[in-house]
Amino acid sequence: MHEREAVSPEADVDELRIEGALRPRVLDEFVGQERVREQLSLVLHSAQRRNRAPDHILMSGGPGLGKTTLAMIIAAELGAPLRISSGPAIERSGDLAAVLSTLQEGEVLFLDEIHRMARPAEEMLYVAMEDFRVDVVVGKGPGATAIPLDIAPFTLVGATTRAGMLPAPLRDRFGFTAHMDFYEPAELERILHRSAGLLGAPLDEEAAREIAGRSRGTPRIANRLLRRVRDYAEVRGDGQLTLANAHAALELYEVDELGLDRLDRAILDVLMNRFRGGPVGLSTLAVSVGEEAETVEVVAEPFLVRSGFLARTPRGRVATPQAWTHMGITPPPDAAFGAAQAVADATGAAGTNGATP
Ligand SMILES: Nc1ncnc2c1ncn2[C@@H]1O[C@H](COP(=O)(O)OP(=O)(O)O)[C@@H](O)[C@H]1O
Ligand SMILES: [Mg+2]
C-alpha cells in the first residue's frame, strides 16, 4: 500500500533523514503547543538556575506530533549530551543497566515508546529515576545478590503514544508530563512554510493552506504531504508549489479534502457497509481493514474521533451521522442506533486528546 505509506504518520527509514533535517533545534523554533512550550521552558530554566538536572519529563501524544523533536530540543536547551534508546530495544534489565551505568552527569536519556519496555527493566528504571541507583544482580538462583551501584544524576525523557498503558508507578515518577495535541491549521501552515524554505521550494499561501487542511493536525504528515506536492510539481507540473499542483498531488495520493486517507476511509467503509454503522469492537474492526489493533487505535482513531466521524461507546465503535454524510452513504434504517448517542459521544470525546480510557 504505497499510497498509505506516503501519508502514514509512522516514519519509515528512508524519510527519517529528511525528517531530521526539518526538525526545529531550539524551543523558539518549535511551532505551536503553546502551553507545553511554556511549561517546559519553566522546568528547564528553573533547573538551570538551581544548577541541577531537571525533573524527568514524559511526553504523550500521537505519532508525528513532535515528541522526538522536543526530546532533542530539551537536551540542546540544557546543553546536555543526549542518549537515545527505546522501550522495544530494552528487552532485559541488563540492557537498561548498561545504558544507565554509563550515563554522564546531567545527560538526557530519551526513551521512545517507553510503554513497550519489558517489566523487569521497568522496575530497574523506577529505582534509577528516584534514587539514581541501579541494583546489579550477580549470580543466579538462590545465591543471587543485588549490588547497588550509584549512577550519575540524569534526566529521563520518555515518549509514549499511549500514556494510559504506562504503569502508575512509572507515570508518577515523572515530574512533568507534556500532552501533545493536534495542531491548528495556522500552525501547520507555519511549519509548512518553514519546511518549504529548508527544502528550497517556496510555497504559495493557498497551497500551504490546502496542505495544512489535509494534514490531520500532524506536522509529520504536513511535511510528508509537502514533499509529495513538491515531487508532483517537479515531475508533472511547472515546479511551482501552487494550489493547482497541491490539489493534483493530494488527489493522486488519495488524501481527501478533510485529510482522511485510505486507512481512515477503509475504517469508515467497513464500519458502515459491513457492520451497519456499528457498534463494533476495535479488534474486529482492525482485522476487517487488515491492520493491527494498535495502528487503528493510535494512528487512525484519534483523528476520526476528533473530526466527529467516529464515536467510542462502551459497546464499540460507531459511525456518526457526519460520517455517513461525508462518505456519501445512506444509513440503513436500523443504523439509527445511537445516532444521537454517537453525536453525544463524539462531542464528549473530542476534547480528550484521543486517549482511550
Ligand atoms: N512543533 C513543531 N514545529 C515544527 N516541526 C515539527 C513540530 N513538531 C513536529 N515537527 C516535525 O514533524 C516531524 C515529526 O516529528 P517527531 O518529533 O518525529 O514526532 P513524534 O516523535 O511525536 O512521532 C519532524 O520532522 C519535525 O520536524
Ligand atoms: Mg518519535
Side-chain angles (χ1 to χ4, degrees):
M1 284 205 283
H2 179 256
E3 293 85 344
R4 169 74 195 153
E5 280 160 21
V7 295
S8 161
E10 305 288 357
D12 63 42
V13 178
D14 279 350
E15 302 217 311
L16 284 179
R17 194 179 41 83
I18 309 178
E19 203 160 73
L22 297 179
R23 263 184 225 290
R25 307 277 161 202
V26 293
L27 209 47
D28 279 341
E29 283 179 19
F30 192 84
V31 176
Q33 307 288 350
E34 234 48 72
R35 183 128 46 103
V36 165
R37 254 189 13 226
E38 201 179 328
Q39 293 167 336
L40 197 57
S41 159
L42 212 72
V43 170
L44 298 181
H45 284 125
S46 76
Q48 279 176 316
R49 281 171 68 131
R50 286 176 294 129
N51 206 10
R52 297 190 42 187
D55 267 356
H56 306 301
I57 298 167
L58 180 65
M59 293 180 299
S60 94
L65 294 182
K67 299 181 298 300
T68 299
T69 305
L70 260 194
M72 294 179 166
I73 288 176
I74 289 169
E77 294 277 338
L78 291 169
L82 174 68
R83 185 86 63 93
I84 299 179
S85 189
S86 74
I90 295 169
E91 289 171 16
R92 290 162 308 134
S93 51
D95 299 335
L96 184 63
V99 173
L100 291 171
S101 58
T102 54
L103 288 172
Q104 301 172 45
E105 174 152 5
E107 191 157 355
V108 172
L109 171 62
F110 176 48
L111 285 184
D112 208 356
E113 297 188 80
I114 192 169
H115 61 277
R116 296 212 191 158
M117 203 166 47
R119 239 308 125 72
E122 226 165 62
E123 273 153 29
M124 173 179 281
L125 191 58
Y126 299 162
V127 181
M129 290 171 80
E130 204 152 80
D131 301 331
F132 299 119
R133 193 188 82 219
V134 288
D135 293 323
V136 182
V137 179
V138 183
K140 279 201 170 114
T145 42
I147 301 177
L149 184 74
D150 284 334
I151 58 174
F154 68 102
T155 297
L156 177 68
V157 178
T160 179
T161 47
R162 316 184 81 193
M165 279 187 54
L166 282 192
L170 180 54
R171 235 182 7 229
D172 293 347
R173 283 171 169 80
F174 287 99
F176 167 61
T177 300
H179 295 281
M180 316 280 285
D181 215 334
F182 288 118
Y183 290 66
E184 297 301 325
E187 295 167 343
L188 292 169
E189 281 179 51
R190 274 167 59 202
I191 292 172
L192 283 164
H193 282 299
R194 177 179 176 278
S195 301
L198 291 172
L199 293 172
L203 177 67
D204 284 8
E205 290 292 335
E206 313 87 72
R209 197 167 313 132
E210 188 66 25
I211 299 170
R214 300 197 195 196
S215 300
R216 309 169 97 258
T218 306
R220 175 176 293 142
I221 298 182
N223 282 340
R224 198 160 295 175
L225 292 179
L226 174 69
R227 296 198 295 275
R228 299 293 81 81
V229 171
R230 184 201 52 183
D231 294 348
Y232 184 94
E234 279 174 0
V235 176
R236 301 239 188 121
D238 48 11
Q240 302 294 312
L241 305 192
T242 59
L243 182 60
N245 284 336
H247 266 307
L250 294 169
E251 190 156 317
L252 185 65
Y253 285 101
E254 300 183 72
V255 178
D256 78 11
E257 66 277 12
L258 295 176
L260 302 198
D261 64 18
R262 282 165 62 114
L263 177 60
D264 298 318
R265 284 197 303 272
I267 289 169
L268 293 180
D269 182 68
V270 159
L271 192 52
M272 293 170 184
N273 289 324
R274 201 175 308 166
F275 299 103
R276 309 174 78 77
V280 58
L282 171 67
S283 46
T284 308
L285 195 57
V287 167
S288 308
V289 296
E291 285 285 354
E292 304 266 333
E294 186 173 338
T295 306
V296 170
E297 189 176 22
V298 171
V299 175
E301 273 194 356
F303 182 72
L304 288 172
V305 168
R306 178 173 142 128
S307 311
F309 291 141
L310 187 95
R312 291 168 169 152
T313 73
R315 288 195 286 158
R317 275 57 175 174
V318 178
T320 65
Q322 273 159 278
W324 292 100
T325 309
H326 182 69
M327 296 293 280
I329 307 174
T330 310
D334 60 335
F337 155 80
Q341 174 65 36
V343 172
D345 287 346
T347 42
T352 63
N353 200 7
T356 306

